[in-house]
Amino acid sequence: MHRGVVYALLAATLFGASTPFSKILVGQMAPVMLAGLLYLGSGLGLLTWYALRSLFSRGEKTSGDRLTKSDLPWLGGAILTGGIAGPVLLMIGLTLTPASSASLLLNIEGVLTALLAWFVFKENFDRRIFAGMVLIVIAGILLSWDERPELEIPWGALAIVAACLCWAIDNNLTRKVSASDAVQIAGIKGLVAGSVNLSIALALGYSVPAITSIASAGLVGFCGYGLSLVMFVLSLRHLGTARTGAYFSAAPFVGAVVSLLILGETPSTVFWIASALMGMGIWLHLTETHGHQHTHLPLSHAHSHRHDAHHQHEHNFPWDDNEPHVHPHEHEELTHSHEHFPDIHHRHKH
């Protein structure tokens, strides 16, 4: 299985598994307070990991792919849309919309992510990928359809759709910096988003929960938001936005399975139908093949790599032949043909 697929499914598993635990915690504090603590736990945990990794490696293997000044506008836009605006809009929507309707509408994120990637950022797709995305999204909708939604007032629904659009923009902007250190990217996003959301909660007058609830939220946030986002960024690097978003749409299925295990729920007929649809959608993506003659334009960037067909360069520093390794490097123009995904080296036009 392609490593990008593994990263995407791990991201979906971690995020999906966190949903049932978040449902338990939301009964102990206000939703906006929980959102802040989840993001803050993610940011603090990842930045601690980043600092320890840099300390023990002495910066030798982690400095090359750090964020640069040119990455900051993309990362800033991702934090503003996905880490701040998205959660606030979701909280507004939840106050006006039934929970069943909200769960249903949140599945729009995957659709909007793919549409933006395909038609705004010009990422390649074909009928097989489109069909797989449709099946996965339908499966997510079925899993969320606990009861028929009644949207008498559309403002709450519009707020949730706007939140999904914010996260879709976030996903596409994050792809622009996905060659950089995934731990650093996810850590900064979590720390900034968590601080802002927590400040909003305190400004609204919500009380600080018990220390045990704070610790639990931080742990859930580190795993379900932090580590999940690291895996998501790594998948963006290898698969592109739309395909990563499609695999990540499996998260509702994982959440449903975990709910069955820890909450003792009984699977319904809808659950098995959704499972079959999601399985078919993922199979369509796993069996995708895309190859043609293409030209790589000159490119300079830094990321972990091996000296393969795309990395035939000299080193202007002492190198011990260890791979993979990280350092800024340049790609010369290259024309060849092979199967590929729209990863960081294959963002060409068709």
Side-chain angles (χ1 to χ4, degrees):
M1 187 181 294
H2 192 279
R3 70 172 64 182
V5 176
V6 175
Y7 289 140
L9 293 178
L10 284 174
T13 300
L14 288 166
F15 182 76
S18 72
T19 302
F21 295 101
S22 297
K23 288 182 179 179
I24 296 173
L25 289 170
V26 79
Q28 304 173 17
M29 65 191 80
V32 67
M33 176 69 72
L34 176 59
L37 292 174
L38 289 171
Y39 277 109
L40 200 59
S42 163
L44 291 174
L46 289 177
L47 290 182
T48 300
W49 175 13
Y50 179 82
L52 291 174
R53 187 189 63 182
S54 299
L55 176 64
F56 287 106
S57 65
R58 298 180 180 178
E60 295 175 358
K61 297 183 179 180
T62 60
S63 60
D65 58 349
R66 288 176 181 169
L67 289 164
T68 63
K69 288 184 179 180
S70 61
D71 295 327
L72 297 183
W74 300 111
L75 181 61
I79 294 173
L80 179 63
T81 54
I84 299 174
V88 172
L89 285 167
L90 178 61
M91 295 305 112
I92 294 173
L94 287 175
T95 63
L96 301 172
T97 308
S100 58
S101 302
S103 297
L104 173 64
L105 290 167
L106 286 174
N107 288 283
I108 294 176
E109 179 189 347
V111 179
L112 293 176
T113 295
L115 291 176
L116 286 177
W118 293 337
F119 299 110
V120 177
F121 292 89
K122 306 301 181 183
E123 186 173 298
N124 167 257
F125 73 99
D126 54 30
R127 293 179 180 177
R128 191 181 192 89
I129 290 298
F130 178 78
M133 167 65 81
V134 169
L135 290 174
I136 292 171
V137 170
I138 291 175
I141 291 174
L142 288 176
L143 288 172
S144 303
W145 195 276
D146 294 330
E147 58 185 80
R148 187 175 299 278
E150 297 177 0
L151 299 177
E152 298 178 358
I153 301 177
W155 295 112
L158 291 175
I160 293 175
V161 171
C164 291
L165 178 60
C166 287
W167 287 318
I169 295 172
D170 171 14
N171 295 336
N172 280 277
L173 294 181
T174 302
R175 185 203 183 200
K176 294 289 188 179
V177 299
S178 59
S180 300
D181 191 332
V183 176
Q184 186 184 27
I185 292 170
I188 292 174
K189 289 180 70 173
L191 192 61
V192 174
S195 300
V196 172
N197 287 317
L198 192 60
S199 298
I200 292 174
L202 295 175
L204 292 174
Y206 293 115
S207 59
V208 178
I211 188 65
T212 54
S213 297
I214 293 176
S216 297
L219 180 60
V220 172
F222 174 66
C223 297
Y225 286 68
L227 294 180
S228 175
L229 183 54
V230 171
M231 297 296 107
F232 191 89
V233 172
L234 291 174
S235 183
L236 288 173
R237 181 184 301 177
H238 293 284
L239 295 182
T241 313
R243 288 163 178 80
T244 298
Y247 286 114
F248 190 76
S249 296
F253 173 74
V254 176
V257 172
V258 174
S259 295
L260 294 175
L261 295 175
I262 69 172
L263 301 179
E265 299 175 356
T266 302
S268 63
T269 302
V270 171
F271 174 83
W272 296 114
I273 294 174
S275 300
L277 289 173
M278 192 163 291
M280 289 192 300
I282 292 176
W283 176 80
L284 284 173
H285 283 227
L286 289 175
T287 54
E288 173 203 9
T289 57
H290 175 77
H292 59 89
Q293 182 168 297
H294 54 277
T295 298
H296 297 269
L297 298 177
L299 173 68
S300 297
H301 61 180
H303 63 94
S304 178
H305 63 277
R306 299 178 183 272
H307 282 193
D308 52 21
H310 296 94
H311 296 90
Q312 297 295 325
H313 51 256
E314 299 295 332
H315 295 86
N316 56 3
F317 58 87
W319 178 47
D320 56 8
D321 292 331
N322 283 332
E323 293 186 330
H325 58 291
V326 178
H327 63 89
H329 56 276
E330 296 183 358
H331 294 269
E332 298 181 355
E333 184 171 321
L334 172 66
T335 300
H336 61 178
S337 177
H338 62 92
E339 293 185 1
H340 58 275
F341 290 99
D343 56 26
I344 57 174
H345 297 108
H346 296 91
R347 298 180 178 176
H348 49 261
K349 295 182 180 179
H350 292 75

